[in-house]
Amino acid sequence: MRTTFTLLLTLLLSSTLWSQEIHTQSNAVSIDNESDATTGWTGGAVISSESTDVEHGSFSMLVSSTGQTNGRDASYTFNVTSGQVYSIKIWAKRAPQSYLPAFANWSGFSNFSERSILTTQWTEYSFELTANSNVAVIRAYTAPINRGAVSGDGILLDAVTITPLVDDSEAPSAITDLTASSTTSSSTALSWSASTDNIGVVDYEVFQNGSSIGLSGGATNFNVMNLSPATNYAFTAIALDAAGNSSLVSNTANVTTTTAADTQGPSAITDLTASATTSSSTTLSWSASTDNVGVVDYEVFQDGTSIGLSGGVTSFNVTNLSPATSYGFTAIAMDAAGNSSLVSNTANVTTTAAADTQAPSAITDLIASAITSNSAILSWSASTDNVGVVDYEVFQDGTSIGLSGGATSFNVTNLTPATSYAFTAIALDAAENTSLISNTANLTTTGETDSQAPTAITDLVAGSTTSSSTSLSWSASMDDVGVVDYEIFQDGISIGLSGGATSFNVTNLTPETSYSFTAVAMDGSGNISTISNSVNITTLEAPTGGATAYTTENANLPTVDWQSNNFIASGNVGIGTQVNPAYRLAVAGNIVAEEVRVALQGNWPDFVFETSYELPSLAAVEQHIKTNKHLMNIPSAHQVQQQGIALGDMDAKLLRKIEELTLYAIAQEKQIQQLKSQNEQLKELANKIEALELKLNTYPVER
């Protein structure tokens, strides 16, 4: 709903009080000359055409702050006559994001007073001012000077009129040279010289045999249609000004239409070209076509679909195009008899890419986790952007401490123990637009650094030893913060990390050789336990090739080959393999069974739900995945390829992951509920701030 800000008293003063529009530039806020443009408007703010929130016509103008100290204004400069009174009317409203916008700092007038833009509804703001200069400037501000600018604060403007108030009672001069040309059996073209007026001629009315047949729209020509063949007609015209004064009747142009119908079409356009192409528009132009009687208009096509008539001129402005898009334009010429030319050549156009002025969305869920005495991990959900977010900048107590490299997490280090910190972040896009500042993540570091090492491993054991491998296992070490990994040593030399698992498969050993293995535990601060107990093993003898045929006499020999079933036995049993297997049962092929039961010797992972269990942070899990390319306590693809998996052990490991995921889900649900509560509090606070701003609007604000 539109509301009127002031009474339009100037319209009620007198029937002779007349005004001529001098806001004539073609742009989004013009009334009679509207276009998808911001021509004539300049300033430090971002000024753009808007088509979704409009008071008049198809477009309005959005003025948005750039976030800079002087990036808040839009101005329009025009010529005036000193001492003349002018009526200026502007429709305006506050943008969805705004702070105390106003019309302020106008120049060229002696009696201007600042006017605040108070409402989010379209409202007409009216000024009646006396010029004290020959040049005047009107300005709109998105925010006061004494308030730090916020990027995106804005106002919407539309339907601007600037008119001098003049007492006009003088009629325009009469037309004296009205002539007719290009007469056919059904039409003729009238033309004349422009009339003069003390203020200005606004239109011409044309009469056929004394009866009005229309207005020329201000042009000094008029195409008369629907005439009868071989018939006499008398045409006259008068000039009109804006005050309703009309000239005397013109001379008479007498016309006799032809008897034969026009069947010849105009010549085809061969030089259709496009120029001044932007992200949303282009200008087409061509040479005039010829015709036996006369061309009256041109029709323009975009990708084969008609988009309008040129009104008889040899140019056409195309608007509302999409950025970075290809189009093909053609045109035809038409005469008064309805004959059309062949289709013109095609003018191919690719619009430019639109400038990116939209900032990413603000981060609203910045949180801190894995807090120690000197570090923490920040994380958040990804921001959105019309083009794309490229990075995030993190601030510690208001000072930038780095970029995340596009990741939605950031490791903060070098903090002081037992100290409070406040962290915020912003999102950035490739055009260097920045989001609003995120919520604040407050944290207090723990009292002291972690200097306590994990407990030593005391039960390192080896099992499943073959001629070239063995499997080590042990109980988990304890630590005041948490064990992150175990390092394994073979005869005192490191041979790898377990990835946090309490087992390690050793391969590439030499048959019939003795080895000694030890291990240490490590925490996230680099503290290392003392060395574990030693476990000594001797690898088995390497399997021998070949086998003897089975007989009752050699059935109990160490190696027996049942040739018909490829069965080998030597304490252990192998089926489908030609070597003595290193397992109690080895099968080269598939096994079908009604049930396989695995009796675990280790613990089933219900310990995950114990209060003493150290659940790894998601940041630690992410870091482990980035480093090792597999989950904590789960063997890698390489380990499985080399050593296989123990079904019972793997089921226990997978259940452990499921139980950890359950704990993460419970924690996340608590966090979601907490954020919902905080969001409701923020909404309530925003409503209070909005109410306070409305009260403040009643007081003068220095700009």
Side-chain angles (χ1 to χ4, degrees):
M1 178 181 293
R2 305 193 300 181
T3 58
T4 300
F5 186 78
T6 61
L7 293 175
L8 305 182
L9 296 178
T10 57
L11 297 180
L12 304 177
L13 294 177
S14 160
S15 63
T16 61
L17 193 59
W18 178 81
S19 58
Q20 180 183 10
E21 172 66 79
I22 62 175
H23 181 268
T24 58
Q25 287 184 287
S26 176
N27 56 46
V29 297
S30 293
I31 292 180
D32 297 324
N33 197 21
E34 186 181 48
S35 68
D36 184 10
T38 60
T39 306
W41 288 84
T42 61
V46 175
I47 307 171
S48 59
S49 181
E50 167 68 34
S51 61
T52 59
D53 192 350
V54 177
E55 187 281 329
H56 171 83
S58 301
F59 305 102
S60 64
M61 193 164 69
L62 175 63
V63 181
S64 299
S65 171
T66 62
Q68 302 169 353
T69 302
N70 61 350
R72 297 164 294 102
D73 70 300
S75 64
Y76 181 81
T77 303
F78 54 98
N79 296 324
V80 293
T81 301
S82 182
Q84 175 69 53
V85 178
Y86 290 85
S87 173
I88 302 175
K89 298 179 176 63
I90 306 175
W91 286 84
K93 63 181 289 189
R94 296 173 65 172
Q97 177 184 319
S98 61
Y99 182 82
L100 301 181
F103 296 111
N105 296 330
W106 288 15
S107 61
F109 299 109
S110 60
N111 54 334
F112 170 75
S113 296
E114 177 181 315
R115 191 76 58 81
S116 296
I117 300 171
L118 302 175
T119 177
T120 57
Q121 300 293 322
W122 280 109
T123 301
E124 186 178 48
Y125 294 79
S126 202
F127 305 85
E128 188 171 310
L129 307 173
T130 301
N132 59 8
S133 174
N134 291 325
V135 177
V137 180
I138 59 176
R139 293 185 179 89
Y141 282 82
T142 63
I145 292 175
N146 61 0
R147 185 245 190 186
V150 174
S151 178
D153 281 353
I155 52 177
L156 286 160
L157 307 178
D158 204 354
V160 176
T161 62
I162 304 171
T163 53
L165 300 181
V166 180
D167 186 5
D168 181 16
S169 59
E170 182 177 327
S173 64
I175 299 167
T176 61
D177 59 350
L178 179 66
T179 59
S181 62
S182 301
T183 302
T184 69
S185 60
S186 61
S187 66
T188 192
L190 302 177
S191 62
W192 57 92
S193 297
S195 295
T196 59
D197 188 67
N198 64 318
I199 302 298
V201 174
V202 296
D203 215 338
Y204 298 91
E205 188 170 10
V206 179
F207 298 81
Q208 176 181 310
N209 297 333
S211 298
S212 175
I213 57 172
L215 299 170
S216 74
T220 58
N221 57 74
F222 189 89
N223 291 323
V224 184
M225 311 292 288
N226 301 316
L227 301 179
S228 299
T231 304
N232 295 322
Y233 294 93
F235 296 97
T236 54
I238 60 173
L240 306 167
D241 65 17
N245 300 307
S246 59
S247 72
L248 298 176
V249 177
S250 72
N251 65 296
T252 301
N254 295 299
V255 169
T256 300
T257 53
T258 61
T259 57
D262 178 13
T263 60
Q264 181 177 330
S267 63
I269 299 166
T270 59
D271 59 351
L272 180 67
T273 60
S275 61
T277 302
T278 69
S279 61
S280 60
S281 65
T282 193
T283 298
L284 304 175
S285 59
W286 57 92
S287 297
S289 296
T290 59
D291 187 66
N292 64 318
V293 176
V295 174
V296 295
D297 216 336
Y298 298 90
E299 187 170 11
V300 180
F301 298 82
Q302 176 180 310
D303 296 327
T305 301
S306 176
I307 55 174
L309 301 172
S310 76
V313 300
T314 57
S315 64
F316 189 88
N317 292 323
V318 185
T319 59
N320 298 318
L321 301 179
S322 299
T325 304
S326 296
Y327 297 92
F329 295 96
T330 52
I332 59 173
M334 300 180 293
D335 64 19
N339 301 306
S340 60
S341 71
L342 298 176
V343 178
S344 72
N345 64 296
T346 300
N348 293 304
V349 169
T350 300
T351 51
T352 59
D356 181 13
T357 59
Q358 181 174 330
S361 64
I363 299 166
T364 59
D365 58 351
L366 180 68
I367 59 172
S369 61
I371 301 168
T372 69
S373 61
N374 60 5
S375 66
I377 297 175
L378 303 176
S379 59
W380 57 90
S381 297
S383 296
T384 58
D385 186 65
N386 63 319
V387 177
V389 175
V390 296
D391 216 336
Y392 300 90
E393 187 171 9
V394 180
F395 298 82
Q396 177 180 310
D397 297 327
T399 301
S400 176
I401 56 173
L403 300 171
S404 75
T408 56
S409 63
F410 188 89
N411 293 327
V412 184
T413 58
N414 300 318
L415 301 178
T416 303
T419 303
S420 297
Y421 295 93
F423 293 95
T424 53
I426 59 173
L428 303 91
D429 64 18
E432 299 185 353
N433 300 306
T434 60
S435 72
L436 298 177
I437 297 174
S438 72
N439 64 297
T440 301
N442 297 298
L443 66 85
T444 301
T445 51
T446 57
E448 57 185 25
T449 58
D450 179 16
S451 59
Q452 181 176 331
T455 59
I457 299 168
T458 59
D459 58 351
L460 181 67
V461 296
S464 302
T465 302
T466 69
S467 61
S468 61
S469 66
T470 192
S471 178
L472 304 177
S473 61
W474 58 92
S475 298
S477 295
M478 303 298 293
D479 186 67
D480 60 327
V481 176
V483 175
V484 296
D485 217 336
Y486 298 91
E487 187 170 14
I488 314 302
F489 297 84
Q490 177 181 309
D491 296 329
I493 299 175
S494 176
I495 58 173
L497 300 171
S498 75
T502 57
S503 62
F504 188 88
N505 292 322
V506 184
T507 59
N508 299 320
L509 301 179
T510 302
E512 299 181 79
T513 303
S514 296
Y515 295 93
S516 178
F517 296 97
T518 54
V520 295
M522 300 180 291
D523 64 18
S525 297
N527 301 307
I528 301 174
S529 72
T530 56
I531 297 175
S532 71
N533 62 296
S534 297
V535 57
N536 300 303
I537 64 117
T538 300
T539 53
L540 302 178
E541 179 182 1
T544 59
T548 59
Y550 169 75
T551 66
T552 55
E553 288 78 12
N554 65 12
N556 293 319
L557 292 178
T559 300
V560 176
D561 183 5
W562 290 1
Q563 294 291 338
S564 60
N565 292 297
N566 200 11
F567 181 91
I568 299 174
S570 181
N572 300 333
V573 176
I575 302 174
T577 177
Q578 294 297 324
V579 298
N580 188 19
Y583 298 92
R584 291 299 181 191
L585 173 62
V587 179
N590 298 327
I591 298 176
V592 178
E594 291 187 358
E595 180 179 344
V596 175
R597 183 179 298 276
V598 179
L600 294 177
Q601 296 180 355
N603 292 329
W604 198 243
D606 288 346
F607 57 82
V608 171
F609 296 135
E610 296 292 337
T611 57
S612 60
Y613 181 71
E614 294 287 344
L615 181 67
S617 69
L618 290 175
V621 172
E622 180 185 24
Q623 187 59 46
H624 184 277
I625 293 172
K626 288 181 178 179
T627 302
N628 301 286
K629 304 298 187 264
H630 63 85
L631 287 173
M632 289 180 176
N633 305 315
I634 297 295
S636 67
H638 178 72
Q639 289 174 315
V640 172
Q641 184 179 9
Q642 295 294 320
Q643 304 162 16
I645 59 173
L647 292 178
D649 182 55
M650 180 54 68
D651 283 348
K653 292 179 184 294
L654 293 175
L655 179 60
R656 179 177 179 179
K657 295 293 108 180
I658 293 172
E659 292 175 346
E660 288 178 346
L661 285 173
T662 301
L663 294 178
Y664 290 133
I666 293 172
Q668 185 180 52
E669 176 62 24
K670 292 180 179 178
Q671 188 178 65
I672 290 172
Q673 295 303 319
Q674 182 181 10
L675 289 173
K676 285 183 177 179
S677 176
Q678 293 175 350
N679 188 47
E680 291 300 321
Q681 294 174 1
L682 288 173
K683 286 182 179 178
E684 183 178 352
L685 179 59
N687 291 334
K688 292 180 179 178
I689 292 173
E690 180 69 19
L692 181 59
E693 286 181 347
L694 291 175
K695 290 182 179 179
L696 289 173
N697 287 338
T698 60
Y699 295 94
V701 179
E702 179 184 356
R703 295 185 179 274

